[in-house]
């Protein structure tokens, strides 16, 4: 396979003008990562997704504009990265349907967002699906299409989105298994220590707590917000602790190391809260004033943003999405009637090229399990192990011994050298398991 740069894809939900917490925790790091060498970055505004949570067209349009302008104002450079609006690439919805037809409904039933809605309904004595649109239910498939359409290698997400990336892998894998290898299976890139910024009341800055400082607030409004940050009652001259001080954490998110050290010393020396707030305000303003200015200029000229987004999408459609969809359509049989397809045999051959995989996981009983799957077919389901290491060692042994020493005892399970290791998947013969294991040994050679 030819070496291509690592492709990183970031989806942005249009939720309106960002606050300082969004800037420090998400926008600033994402833009700075997009400048790293050797990565190819895709950023898109997930406006199809927005339709799931709001039915207010004015709000959809307005939020999309605000979010596009925000990211551009913060330095996202459409000359270096692909920047587009999801709905400008209608191949996304076409792919959503192709994936819908391989996605397991049971998997979607288990999606956190959907399950939470069902649980709420149950708590309230409502019908399970009351108020749940099929859009909410299908959200993970649309998201998988966003990712698989561009064969992204990595998708930076928060913890709450990991399950969606796993589903994208699952749908992509099923498709590959059925129709040959078309999709790269994406990985979630989880930023373990995302900078969370405290808000005005010291809790995490979040719209739902109503404690945010808007990123592009005019200078005077920013000043007022900073001065309303909650502090304790220590008087000027009394030493103050940086630990647990929201004011200090905010300062540090913007300041250099030297500035942070100076502020730490000022705290110890008993800086007055008013003075500390003044310094914080000036420090934030130095960084955000140019962004604010750019933001205001950008929203004042929506036509320019519209052109930029359309240009970005048009290029991607032509070069990537449209040709890829042609390939996929033909893979599933939506194909020129005058040209016979190679048919199932070729597809099976392609699918057979995708190797079987071991998957490790932990069950609710606290024990560690693995299974061997070939596409969506379960070949072997392990017994529980006390540690992930125990499961891992057995997997290594199975791969190494490539099916030698395996035997199956009816009603009991699969043994390896005398130890019970698990049971076969439904309608799987032990010979099939051995064949699959032999492929691991071949791969080693
Ligand atoms: N679900 C993501 C969120 O809530 C937004 C999103 C939609 C996304 N499609 C995506 C993120 C594709 C990454 C890749 O934040």
């Amino acid at each position: 396979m030819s070496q291509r740069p690592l492709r990183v894809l970031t989806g942005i939900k249009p939720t309106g003008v960002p606050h300082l917490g969004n800037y420090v925790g998400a926008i600033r790091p994402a833009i700075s990562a997009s400048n790293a060498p050797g990565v190819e970055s895709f950023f898109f505004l997930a406006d199809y997704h927005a339709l799931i949570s709001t039915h207010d067209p004015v709000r959809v349009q307005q939020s999309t504009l605000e979010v596009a302008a925000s990211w551009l104002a913060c330095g996202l450079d459409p000359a270096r990265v692909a920047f587009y609006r999801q709905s400008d690439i209608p191949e996304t919805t076409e792919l959503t349907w192709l994936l819908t037809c391989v996605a397991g409904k049971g998997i979607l039933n288990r999606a956190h967002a959907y399950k939470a809605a069902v649980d709420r309904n149950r708590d309230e004595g409502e019908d399970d699906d009351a108020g749940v649109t099929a859009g909410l239910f299908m959200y993970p498939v649309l998201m998988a299409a966003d990712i698989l359409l561009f064969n992204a290698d990595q998708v930076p997400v928060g913890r709450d989105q990991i399950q969606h990336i796993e589903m994208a892998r699952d749908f992509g894998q099923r498709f590959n298994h059925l129709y040959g290898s078309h999709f790269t299976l994406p990985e979630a890139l989880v930023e373990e220590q995302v900078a969370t910024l405290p808000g005005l009341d010291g809790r995490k800055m979040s719209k739902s707590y109503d404690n945010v400082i808007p990123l592009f607030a005019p200078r005077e409004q920013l000043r007022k917000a900073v001065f309303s940050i909650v502090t304790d009652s220590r008087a000027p001259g009394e030493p103050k602790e940086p630990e647990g001080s929201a004011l200090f954490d905010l300062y540090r998110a913007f300041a250099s190391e030297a500035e942070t050290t100076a502020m730490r010393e000022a705290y110890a020396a008993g800086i007055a809260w008013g003075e500390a707030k003044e310094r914080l305000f000036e420090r934030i303003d130095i960084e955000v004033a140019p962004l604010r200015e750019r933001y205001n200029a950008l929203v004042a000229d929506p036509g320019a943003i519209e052109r930029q987004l359309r240009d970005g999408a048009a290029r991607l459609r032509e070069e990537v999405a449209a040709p890829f969809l042609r390939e996929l359509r033909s893979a599933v049989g939506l194909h020129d009637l005058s040209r016979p397809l190679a048919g199932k045999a070729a597809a099976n051959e392609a699918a057979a090229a995708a190797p079987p995989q071991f998957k490790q996981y932990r069950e609710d009983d606290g024990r560690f399990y693995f299974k061997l799957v070939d596409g969506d077919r379960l070949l072997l389901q392990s017994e529980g192990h006390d540690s992930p290491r125990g499961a891992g060692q057995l997997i290594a042994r199975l791969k190494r011994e490539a099916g030698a020493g395996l035997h199956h005892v009816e009603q009991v399970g699969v043994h390896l050298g005398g130890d019970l290791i698990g049971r076969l998947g439904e309608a799987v013969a032990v010979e099939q398991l051995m064949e699959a294991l032999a492929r691991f040994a071949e791969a080693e050679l």
Side-chain angles (χ1 to χ4, degrees), residues 9-11 13 44 46 49 139 143 146-147 155 157 161 164:
L9 178 136
T10 305
K13 276 238 285 232
F44 73 95
H49 284 271
Y139 186 113
M143 181 159 163
D146 295 330
I147 298 167
V155 185
V157 286
Q161 296 290 316
H164 289 149

Side-chain angles (χ1 to χ4, degrees), residues 380-432:
L380 175 70
Q381 165 66 64
S382 82
E383 295 284 292
H385 293 260
D386 293 333
S387 69
R389 202 153 161 243
Q393 282 171 341
L394 184 52
I395 292 175
R397 210 175 126 204
L398 281 166
K399 287 183 178 172
R400 209 169 45 236
E401 296 175 14
L406 271 189
H407 71 277
H408 183 237
V409 180
E410 216 53 62
Q411 311 288 335
V412 183
V414 181
H415 291 72
L416 177 64
D419 303 321
L420 178 66
I421 59 168
R423 53 188 168 71
L424 293 171
E426 214 177 295
V428 171
V430 71
E431 289 73 24
Q432 288 170 299

Side-chain angles (χ1 to χ4, degrees), residues 51-55 114 117 121 129-139:
L51 304 186
I52 294 166
S53 43
T54 171
H55 297 135
Y114 171 67
N121 279 332
D129 285 325
V132 175
T133 64
L136 175 69
F137 187 69
M138 296 294 295
Y139 186 113

Side-chain angles (χ1 to χ4, degrees), residues 333-409:
L334 307 176
H335 194 71
D336 183 339
L337 297 179
S338 69
R339 301 168 174 214
L341 279 170
K344 193 96 180 144
N348 284 345
E349 206 169 283
Q357 280 194 319
F358 281 100
K359 294 189 176 172
Q360 286 186 256
Y361 56 97
R362 191 170 191 182
E363 278 285 3
D364 290 345
D365 64 5
R367 310 195 74 202
F368 297 87
Y369 293 79
F370 65 84
K371 53 189 177 184
L372 178 64
V373 294
D374 189 9
D376 52 12
R377 178 146 200 228
L378 174 70
L379 297 177
L380 175 70
Q381 165 66 64
S382 82
E383 295 284 292
H385 293 260
D386 293 333
S387 69
R389 202 153 161 243
Q393 282 171 341
L394 184 52
I395 292 175
R397 210 175 126 204
L398 281 166
K399 287 183 178 172
R400 209 169 45 236
E401 296 175 14
L406 271 189
H407 71 277
H408 183 237
V409 180

Side-chain angles (χ1 to χ4, degrees), residues 51-374:
L51 304 186
I52 294 166
S53 43
T54 171
H55 297 135
D56 175 352
V58 175
R59 192 154 141 229
V60 173
Q61 185 199 34
Q62 181 67 19
S63 302
T64 306
L65 171 64
E66 287 167 354
V67 171
S70 299
W71 282 73
L72 291 168
C74 292
L76 192 72
D77 178 3
R80 293 184 48 112
V81 307
F83 184 48
Y84 57 100
R85 177 171 44 190
Q86 185 185 29
S87 66
D88 283 336
I89 316 241
E91 284 80 6
T92 306
T93 52
E94 192 172 0
L95 178 54
T96 300
W97 182 249
L98 302 188
L99 295 173
T100 300
C101 295
V102 301
K105 177 171 177 286
I107 290 182
L108 295 174
N109 286 339
R110 289 192 286 274
H112 299 318
Y114 171 67
K115 257 175 51 187
V118 170
D119 288 347
R120 258 196 315 277
N121 279 332
R122 287 188 185 162
D123 286 348
E124 288 163 14
E126 297 274 2
D127 184 74
D128 274 9
D129 285 325
V132 175
T133 64
L136 175 69
F137 187 69
M138 296 294 295
Y139 186 113
V141 189
L142 177 59
M143 181 159 163
D146 295 330
I147 298 167
L148 298 175
L149 180 58
F150 293 108
N151 281 313
D153 300 294
Q154 292 187 341
V155 185
V157 286
R159 300 213 136 268
D160 62 320
Q161 296 290 316
I162 296 176
Q163 190 193 36
H164 289 149
I165 309 301
E166 281 169 358
M167 290 185 180
R169 287 179 69 88
D170 186 273
F171 306 153
Q173 197 170 13
R174 283 176 191 232
F175 192 98
N176 286 350
H177 183 68
L178 290 164
Y179 300 116
S181 184
H182 297 276
F183 296 121
T184 302
L185 302 183
E187 268 169 37
L189 195 65
V190 184
E191 181 57 87
E192 286 297 344
Q193 36 195 343
V194 239
T196 52
L197 210 61
L200 299 175
D201 57 0
R203 290 184 295 173
K204 176 184 171 192
M205 190 179 288
S206 161
K207 261 195 216 157
S208 45
Y209 293 147
D210 197 21
N211 64 356
V212 307
I213 304 180
L215 176 54
F216 305 119
R219 193 176 144 87
E220 266 323 296
Q221 201 182 317
L222 175 63
R223 186 165 197 282
K224 254 173 81 184
V226 168
F227 274 77
S228 73
I229 294 169
V230 175
T231 50
D232 63 28
S233 57
R234 267 176 278 192
E238 270 185 79
K240 300 172 172 66
E241 262 122 53
E243 283 68 40
S245 160
L247 198 66
F248 186 82
D249 288 341
L250 277 155
Y251 186 80
R252 184 160 54 185
F254 288 88
S256 67
E257 263 193 49
E259 288 167 320
T260 305
T261 305
M263 183 60 103
R264 196 183 288 282
E265 285 161 9
Y267 263 57
I271 188 174
W273 286 128
E275 167 64 18
K277 286 177 174 178
E278 192 62 42
R279 281 199 205 175
L280 170 61
F281 160 63
E282 288 297 350
R283 190 62 196 77
I284 297 177
D285 194 55
I286 285 177
E287 182 161 336
V288 305
L291 313 186
R292 176 164 61 216
E293 204 171 307
R294 275 207 294 275
Y295 178 82
N296 290 333
L298 284 159
V299 285
D301 186 6
I305 296 187
E306 179 65 29
R307 276 191 299 282
Q308 205 155 43
L309 289 172
R310 283 202 190 170
D311 286 351
R315 237 187 356 259
L316 281 176
R317 270 192 93 176
E318 191 183 310
E319 290 170 12
V320 187
F324 194 28
L325 252 295
R326 274 197 292 280
E327 172 190 323
L328 297 173
R329 288 173 63 103
S330 137
V332 300
L334 307 176
H335 194 71
D336 183 339
L337 297 179
S338 69
R339 301 168 174 214
L341 279 170
K344 193 96 180 144
N348 284 345
E349 206 169 283
Q357 280 194 319
F358 281 100
K359 294 189 176 172
Q360 286 186 256
Y361 56 97
R362 191 170 191 182
E363 278 285 3
D364 290 345
D365 64 5
R367 310 195 74 202
F368 297 87
Y369 293 79
F370 65 84
K371 53 189 177 184
L372 178 64
V373 294
D374 189 9

